[in-house]
Amino acid sequence: SLLALKSLLRNCYGIAVITVPTTFYQSNPDLRRGLHDCSDYVINLKSFDAEESVNPAYKDYHGILSVEKIPSIGVLSPPAHLIKDDNELVFKSRRNRFLIEKFH
């Protein structure tokens, strides 16, 4: 289970990256909530490939990245300046790089 993996990783200098397509948990909100609760970081990638009409301002990018959850160690909630940022994050995928930038 994810909780067992999380407890194993707490005792070492390792990380685990788990990707889950939205179609996997869209019909089951309890599964989404459980995955969200077990994770330290949760990000959402929305690709422009599936959309027919994309704003021309996004022509140099491949999608939007949104940060849904960041860890809050030693406090009840993460600092407001880290979660209430009005700027959008966009990404582009290159051959050897995955670039994340603030959209202006």
Side-chain angles (χ1 to χ4, degrees):
S1 84
L2 286 177
L3 289 175
L5 176 63
K6 188 173 180 178
S7 69
L8 285 173
L9 291 172
R10 292 272 186 237
N11 298 324
C12 66
Y13 292 110
I15 63 167
V17 177
I18 300 170
T19 61
V20 180
T22 54
T23 55
F24 182 69
Y25 59 80
Q26 236 170 6
S27 62
N28 189 348
D30 292 333
L31 178 63
R32 179 185 170 114
R33 189 173 24 261
L35 290 171
H36 195 276
D37 290 345
C38 287
S39 304
D40 290 333
Y41 291 89
V42 177
I43 62 169
N44 186 16
L45 297 175
K46 181 181 177 189
S47 174
F48 295 142
D49 288 343
E51 296 182 15
E52 294 177 8
S53 62
V54 177
N55 189 339
Y58 293 122
K59 66 179 170 128
D60 295 333
Y61 303 103
H62 294 127
I64 297 175
L65 181 140
S66 59
V67 179
E68 294 184 12
K69 182 180 176 184
I70 58 175
S72 51
I73 299 170
V75 293
L76 294 176
S77 65
H81 72 280
L82 294 177
I83 58 173
K84 299 294 181 194
D85 196 2
D86 291 336
N87 296 325
E88 276 187 329
L89 296 173
V90 290
F91 69 89
K92 48 180 143 175
S93 180
R94 301 278 173 114
R95 186 175 193 174
N96 296 328
R97 291 186 190 164
F98 184 78
L99 300 172
I100 300 171
E101 301 175 357
K102 278 190 176 183
F103 186 71
H104 302 291

